[in-house]
Amino acid sequence: MTLLATPKAVPQIDGVDRRRFEDDIRAAHQPVIFRGLAAQWPAVQAARQSDEALIAYLRQFRRDGPVAVLLGEPGINGRFFYNHDLTGFNFTRGRSPLDPFFDRLLRDRNDPAPYSVAVQSEPVPQVFPGFETENGLDLLDAAIVPRAWMGNRIMVAPHYDLMENIGCVVAGRRRFTLFPPDQIGNLYPGPMELTPAGTPVSMVDLANPDLERYPRFAAAMETAQVADLEPGDAIYIPFHWWHGVESLEPLNLFVNYWWNDARKDIGRPYDALMYGFFALRNLPAEQRAVWRTVFDYYVFQTDSDPAAHLPPQAQGILGPLTPDMLRRIRATLKEISSNL
């Protein structure tokens, strides 16, 4: 029997300010817990009084329109995932006004086997307009839109976001299990075309890993970190870090902030990955190896600047990415796509 390594605790910091966050924490590309970062939020104060006090606070802001809701049968035990043959999911998506959703959360708190319910990634200014003014975060640009995640005891499979992320626990408790980006092969990603929320998720059940089917997961656990968060605590998750999330109480509310500092006028790397499946993945192995070397040299620049030995007038696409060069690249890509 293989014994899995115990995850290391995510480091925690008290009293972080914006300068320290930008200069030290983000530069390290490692997850960090900020204890008490949102402790003074009125929403957190209400949640500490009672679930009823939190719901009453939220009702002050909630709009009347429906929101997207996930619903799972009691038999899934809170784990939103695929169905048995990976042709769909073990939950359904629907829409509901917030009031009956709130009522269900309060009503089901003492049910030993409730339906799993969740509202996920709803823009706070649209769902609870005004909440973001009373419950703000000084570490980030005010233009970053907070998103609300609310539900009962649910589990989200390890996945990655194409963003950096700060998330604040408002109500309940949350456990994050994190893995660095280079563990992708040890986490057994699921289908690319069918995903619960956009990016692939790990096929491994964190609560009951099947090491006969997924033996390399043991290596992933050697790198794992864990964070247990209380109301008012926050976590920073760097770009592309895998994270599985467990909501540990009958009523949980989480508010997160996503952002990406990459240039907005360039293409999306995920699109390039899709083209890589088309143009590179099925080449003979020796050709793939050659192209990996070429990409390392030109794109990832693992050795040196590939344009350094050329005069500026001859650098072309290898030189600075000017508006004119962007137009030329787009025109070339359009010509390529028209011939696919």
Side-chain angles (χ1 to χ4, degrees), residues 12-320:
Q12 61 184 53
I13 294 176
D14 300 319
V16 66
D17 58 23
R18 188 164 184 172
R19 184 210 59 76
R20 187 180 182 191
F21 176 63
E22 291 291 340
D23 295 347
D24 300 335
I25 294 169
R26 289 187 68 197
H29 307 293
Q30 293 289 319
V32 174
I33 295 171
F34 304 126
R35 293 291 182 197
L37 184 68
Q40 300 307 312
W41 282 11
V44 173
Q45 298 294 320
R48 286 176 172 167
Q49 294 178 41
S50 66
D51 293 339
E52 288 80 3
L54 172 66
I55 296 300
Y57 180 77
L58 294 176
R59 289 189 201 271
Q60 300 177 69
F61 302 101
R62 63 100 176 89
R63 63 175 175 82
D64 293 331
V67 296
V69 177
L70 307 186
L71 179 68
E73 297 282 343
I76 73 170
N77 296 317
R79 187 188 183 214
F80 288 140
F81 198 61
Y82 292 99
N83 58 18
H84 71 281
D85 58 1
L86 274 68
T87 58
F89 302 109
N90 67 356
F91 59 89
T92 59
R93 303 180 191 271
R95 297 187 67 80
S96 169
L98 280 167
D99 279 335
F101 174 77
F102 291 154
D103 293 341
R104 174 182 280 275
L105 286 178
L106 293 173
R107 184 181 69 242
D108 288 354
R109 285 176 295 174
N110 297 319
D111 189 332
Y115 281 83
S116 300
V117 293
V119 167
Q120 296 189 328
S121 193
E122 290 285 348
V124 168
Q126 297 179 27
V127 179
F128 302 118
F131 178 100
E132 73 281 7
T133 302
E134 292 192 7
N135 304 272
L137 201 62
D138 294 335
L139 292 186
L140 301 174
D141 192 302
I144 298 174
V145 176
R147 293 178 173 271
W149 308 70
M150 193 170 188
N152 53 10
R153 288 189 178 96
I154 61 172
M155 292 175 283
V156 175
H159 62 285
Y160 59 86
D161 300 320
L162 300 174
M163 302 277 184
E164 293 180 71
N165 187 4
I166 288 182
C168 304
V169 174
V170 176
R173 295 179 298 119
R174 243 174 172 77
R175 176 173 296 143
F176 288 79
T177 305
L178 303 105
F179 306 87
D182 64 6
Q183 291 303 302
I184 183 170
N186 295 329
L187 290 169
Y188 298 91
M192 296 288 294
E193 296 86 353
L194 181 68
T195 67
T199 57
V201 304
S202 171
M203 297 300 296
V204 182
D205 182 354
L206 289 183
N208 188 28
D210 183 347
L211 295 182
E212 289 189 4
R213 189 171 185 180
Y214 308 117
R216 293 196 307 275
F217 180 68
M221 284 300 295
E222 295 285 344
T223 72
Q225 299 183 40
V226 67
D228 287 318
L229 306 183
E230 303 283 341
D233 293 341
I235 186 170
Y236 167 63
I237 302 176
F239 175 81
H240 222 287
W241 271 68
W242 290 78
H243 50 287
V245 189
E246 299 172 75
S247 302
L248 301 174
E249 300 293 343
L251 193 153
N252 300 269
L253 174 60
F254 185 71
V255 172
N256 87 303
Y257 302 78
W258 274 322
W259 76 98
N260 188 323
D261 287 343
R263 290 179 58 157
K264 302 299 187 289
D265 57 352
I266 62 175
R268 297 182 302 178
Y270 222 66
D271 293 343
L273 178 62
M274 292 299 107
Y275 194 81
F277 289 141
F278 174 67
L280 298 171
R281 187 172 184 268
N282 293 294
L283 291 174
E286 65 275 10
Q287 292 187 25
R288 288 202 310 272
V290 170
W291 280 109
R292 173 183 289 181
T293 301
V294 172
F295 271 70
D296 280 345
Y297 179 72
Y298 282 116
V299 178
F300 299 109
Q301 300 182 47
T302 55
D303 181 38
S304 61
D305 178 359
H309 61 285
L310 298 173
Q313 72 275 9
Q315 289 180 358
I317 199 172
L318 301 179

